[in-house]
């Protein structure tokens, strides 16, 4: 490397940081370069990891057999001979720990909800599918009668008569309506809260209504939209109605103990799935709650970093002055530290309702003629979009139905024409039901997509019969059309609404196999390499982090996921069965421990069962805004 080193790093003259190549940046950051014209001294030791195969997703060298890491950065990847030649006289060791494994770029959980996962996974789970927890498997509920029996059993086993009972997983489309009167038959004194599988709806018993002071007068003070999406008599609250009631009941939903234990479960589970970076869209707007999250997620021994995107919906609803909205948004950066951070210049908005509760806004009527819901009234949505657009923010938008997508694209186009921006990279999140004509419009407007391919697996069978009909159900999450049009797309799980398992998401996108075993929308399947990009480099692109993570390239963070098999060469049906050895996270080798391996939250799906529900993260933010009384 002496000649290469002098020619590349010294003899060429380093004028400024802006002229450095990625590899020069690595050496400069480690203190290996002296002043211009000086010589290379005190080179730190590098570690060369060899593997059976290394998939880099670097267009310059797509595969490698060795990767050199210095500190928390990648120095080089290529053949072992190439890497050694680049290192030259720099001290190094060769580590063969992964010699029999396959290395891929570190998996990215682009859109997940660790707090919501913590609360649901630590509640009384009575759901439409089995859930495999560290403590054992919680079997699925067969019908409403079994739900009531198991809920009554859980109530009877609580020793403290004042302790609220929180259950999660009930689905009206499977078990029929659930109301206050049903829950009162179980207990008239203990507060009982049933959080629907969709996480967009909650049903309370009378004791919970009383404990939360949810009176008729308070109900009448709800906004018109919130009242329309509530039933005081049935004590049932959904979408904006749930937003309205959550501040009254949040202290029964979230406790410090439940939060911490659930976060630890979520942390171990995500590590076991090979995740090296994650993001919460719609960050928590309660500092005491964020402090509680930071107790787990900010620790230096965390196996991944986690960023938070601001909940723009709540910010705009709170502050009437446009400038104050941005000022208060930027102040949130001080809430994070260590392994957590605020995603810079990014904001989260909401269009229509949830897919799992069939409340998305669709162009053509639902089979039963019911209407969808809006998560934000039009005037609030348009004001929020304009404020953050004009401030140069990247906007991520929860949108599920094709009519919801029309509203989003109309708003995007009007702002582009009013205040043109280059590479705004607006993200259409979830992308459940769309029309073919909308794909070209997405491309023309410069938007990108973050899709949830699990919708097809979990819902296509059921929604072919109820809700959407076969044509719309089978074409959900049309990744194939996006690929043909050249629109960048990535994958997310929305945990706990789908398993935070990148290999499983890949399997869903590649196979589009439903719970009955059939293929839904075969023309929308994508190649395995595209799916891998969807949980790595394209996910990084959607978070404006592709210069830092997402591929194995010189200068990027040393984030690797270590697998037992190559997801690009195995039978596509086997992708979800590939084992994760562990990860390398910014140079730290983190094998999956026996304890972590047991922390599997991936549900076992029964044929035709709805699997995981589309979540509204902002809903939980409102719930958590008052939990400071407990933290």
């Amino acid at each position: 490397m002496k000649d290469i080193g002098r020619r590349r790093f010294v003899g060429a003259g380093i004028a400024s940081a802006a002229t450095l190549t990625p590899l020069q940046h690595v050496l400069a950051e480690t203190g290996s370069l002296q002043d211009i014209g000086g010589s290379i001294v005190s080179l730190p030791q590098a570690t060369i990891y060899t593997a059976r195969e290394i998939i880099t997703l670097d267009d310059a060298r797509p595969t490698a057999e060795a990767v050199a890491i210095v500190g928390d950065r990648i120095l080089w990847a290529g053949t072992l001979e190439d890497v050694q030649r680049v290192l030259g006289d720099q001290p190094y060791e060769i580590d063969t720990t992964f010699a029999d494994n396959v290395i891929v770029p570190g998996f990215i959980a682009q859109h997940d909800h660790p707090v919501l996962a913590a609360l649901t996974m630590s509640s009384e789970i009575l759901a439409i599918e089995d859930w495999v927890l560290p403590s054992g498997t919680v079997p699925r509920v067969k019908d409403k009668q079994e739900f009531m029996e198991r809920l009554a059993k859980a109530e009877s086993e609580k020793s403290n008569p004042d302790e609220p009972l929180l259950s999660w997983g009930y689905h009206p489309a499977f078990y029929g309506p659930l109301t206050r009167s049903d829950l009162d038959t179980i207990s008239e004194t203990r507060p009982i809260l049933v959080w629907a599988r969709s996480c967009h709806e909650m049903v309370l018993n009378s004791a919970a209504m009383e404990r939360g002071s949810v009176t008729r007068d308070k109900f009448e003070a709800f906004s018109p939209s919130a009242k329309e999406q509530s039933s005081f008599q049935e004590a049932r609250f959904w979408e904006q109605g749930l937003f309205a009631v959550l501040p009254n009941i949040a202290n029964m939903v979230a406790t410090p103990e439940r939060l911490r234990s659930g976060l630890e479960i979520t942390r171990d589970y995500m590590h076991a799935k090979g995740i090296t970076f994650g993001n919460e869209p719609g960050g928590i707007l309660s500092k005491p709650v964020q402090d509680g999250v930071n107790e787990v997620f900010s620790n230096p021994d965390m196996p991944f970093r986690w960023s938070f995107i601001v909940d723009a919906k709540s910010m705009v609803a709170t502050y009437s002055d446009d400038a104050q909205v941005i000022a208060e948004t930027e102040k949130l950066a001080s809430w994070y530290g260590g392994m957590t951070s605020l995603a810079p210049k990014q904001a989260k908005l909401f269009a229509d309702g949830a897919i799992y509760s069939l409340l998305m806004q669709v162009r053509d009527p639902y089979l039963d003629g019911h209407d969808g819901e809006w998560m934000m009234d039009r005037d609030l949505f348009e004001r929020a979009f304009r404020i953050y657009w004009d401030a140069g923010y990247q906007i991520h938008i929860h949108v599920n139905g094709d009519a919801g997508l029309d509203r989003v694209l109309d708003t995007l186009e009007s702002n582009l024409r009013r205040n043109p921006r280059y590479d705004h990279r607006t993200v259409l999140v979830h992308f459940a039901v769309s029309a073919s004509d909308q794909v070209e419009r997405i491309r023309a407007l410069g938007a990108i997509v973050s899709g949830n391919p699990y919708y097809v697996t979990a819902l296509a069978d059921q929604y072919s019969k109820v809700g959407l009909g076969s044509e719309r159900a089978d074409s959900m999450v049309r990744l194939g059309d996006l690929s043909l049009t050249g629109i960048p797309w990535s994958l997310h799980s929305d945990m706990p609404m789908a398993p935070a398992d990148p290999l499983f998401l890949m399997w869903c996108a590649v196979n589009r196999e439903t719970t009955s075993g059939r293929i839904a929308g075969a023309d929308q399947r994508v190649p395995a390499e595209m799916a891998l990009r969807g949980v790595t480099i394209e996910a990084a692109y959607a978070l404006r982090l592709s210069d830092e993570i997402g591929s194995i390239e010189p200068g990027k963070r040393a984030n690797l996921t270590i697998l037992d098999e190559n997801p690009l060469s195995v039978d596509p049906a086997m992708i979800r069965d590939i084992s994760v050895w562990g990860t390398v996270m910014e140079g730290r080798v983190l094998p999956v421990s026996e304890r972590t391996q047991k922390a599997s939250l991936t549900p076992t799906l029964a044929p035709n069962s709805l699997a995981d529900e589309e979540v509204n993260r902002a809903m939980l933010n409102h719930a958590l805004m008052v939990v400071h009384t407990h933290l």
Side-chain angles (χ1 to χ4, degrees), residues 115-387:
V115 174
L116 187 54
L119 298 180
T120 54
M121 292 298 110
S122 59
S123 70
E124 189 70 30
I125 300 175
L126 299 172
I128 58 177
E129 70 277 293
D130 296 343
W131 280 85
V132 183
L133 304 175
S135 57
T137 299
V138 181
R140 71 184 183 93
V141 173
K142 299 181 181 66
D143 52 32
K144 183 175 182 178
Q145 179 180 343
E146 184 182 5
F147 173 85
M148 295 295 290
E149 291 171 352
R150 287 170 58 177
L151 189 65
K153 182 175 185 292
E155 192 280 330
S156 67
E157 292 175 348
K158 286 190 174 294
S159 57
N160 182 351
D162 294 325
E163 181 185 358
L165 171 60
L166 174 66
S167 172
W168 172 74
Y170 190 89
H171 203 304
F174 283 74
Y175 310 134
L178 185 73
T179 67
R180 180 207 307 231
S181 60
D182 291 320
L183 301 182
D184 283 348
T185 64
I186 295 176
S187 177
E188 295 181 348
T189 57
R190 182 191 304 280
I192 299 177
L193 307 91
V194 174
W195 207 349
R197 187 64 184 81
S198 67
C199 288
H200 284 238
E201 180 177 348
M202 215 175 254
V203 182
L204 315 179
N205 71 346
S206 295
M209 294 281 279
E210 183 178 352
R211 177 78 66 88
S213 299
V214 185
T215 64
R216 171 66 73 174
D217 287 344
K218 287 189 176 179
F219 173 76
E220 293 299 334
F222 286 1
S223 72
S225 296
K227 283 203 293 186
E228 288 176 2
Q229 297 169 8
S230 304
S231 171
F232 181 82
Q233 182 62 35
E234 296 180 351
R236 189 167 62 90
F237 306 90
W238 62 96
E239 303 298 359
Q240 295 191 57
L242 187 53
F243 279 107
V245 79
L246 274 171
N248 295 80
I249 63 174
N251 59 352
M252 293 181 278
V253 175
T255 65
E257 296 79 15
R258 177 178 288 146
L259 180 64
R260 183 174 184 89
S261 64
L263 285 170
E264 290 171 348
I265 291 172
T266 302
R267 172 201 63 200
D268 293 344
Y269 166 73
M270 289 184 171
H271 175 225
K273 299 304 181 183
I275 290 168
T276 60
F277 189 93
N279 173 260
E280 167 86 77
I284 302 161
L285 291 181
S286 168
K287 189 175 186 303
V289 176
Q290 184 61 54
D291 289 343
V293 174
N294 290 346
E295 287 183 10
V296 177
F297 273 47
S298 289
N299 279 334
D301 62 352
M302 269 289 289
F304 46 79
R305 290 191 182 275
W306 202 268
S307 66
F308 295 81
I309 294 175
V310 67
D311 172 12
K313 174 185 186 293
S314 295
M315 296 298 287
V316 173
T318 301
Y319 302 105
S320 58
D321 180 76
D322 293 1
Q324 189 178 12
V325 168
I326 299 302
E328 295 297 328
T329 295
E330 293 175 350
K331 288 180 183 178
L332 295 175
S334 65
W335 289 16
Y336 309 93
M339 299 296 283
T340 63
S341 62
L342 180 69
K345 303 285 279 188
Q346 297 186 53
K348 172 74 178 297
L349 292 176
F350 300 83
D352 56 340
I355 177 176
Y356 283 97
S357 53
L358 284 172
L359 289 177
M360 51 199 165
Q361 290 283 2
V362 290
R363 287 175 171 179
D364 298 324
Y366 286 102
L367 297 183
D368 64 359
H370 79 272
D371 295 324
E373 305 285 4
W374 293 105
M375 294 304 303
M376 296 178 70
D377 293 337
R378 182 186 288 273
D379 57 346
L380 183 66
F381 178 80
E382 292 180 348
R383 175 175 176 248
F385 196 105
R386 173 181 53 78
I387 291 172

Side-chain angles (χ1 to χ4, degrees), residues 24-74:
Q24 291 169 335
H25 270 297
V26 175
L27 296 178
E29 289 177 3
T30 58
S32 303
L33 294 180
Q34 291 186 332
D35 294 337
I36 297 174
S39 60
I40 300 177
V41 295
S42 302
L43 290 172
Q45 179 163 305
T47 300
I48 300 176
Y49 293 102
T50 58
R52 187 171 87 237
E53 296 177 86
I54 299 176
I55 303 167
T56 68
L57 297 183
D58 176 4
D59 293 338
R61 47 182 66 82
T63 61
E65 62 183 30
V67 55
I69 293 175
V70 176
D72 62 356
R73 297 278 169 169
I74 296 168

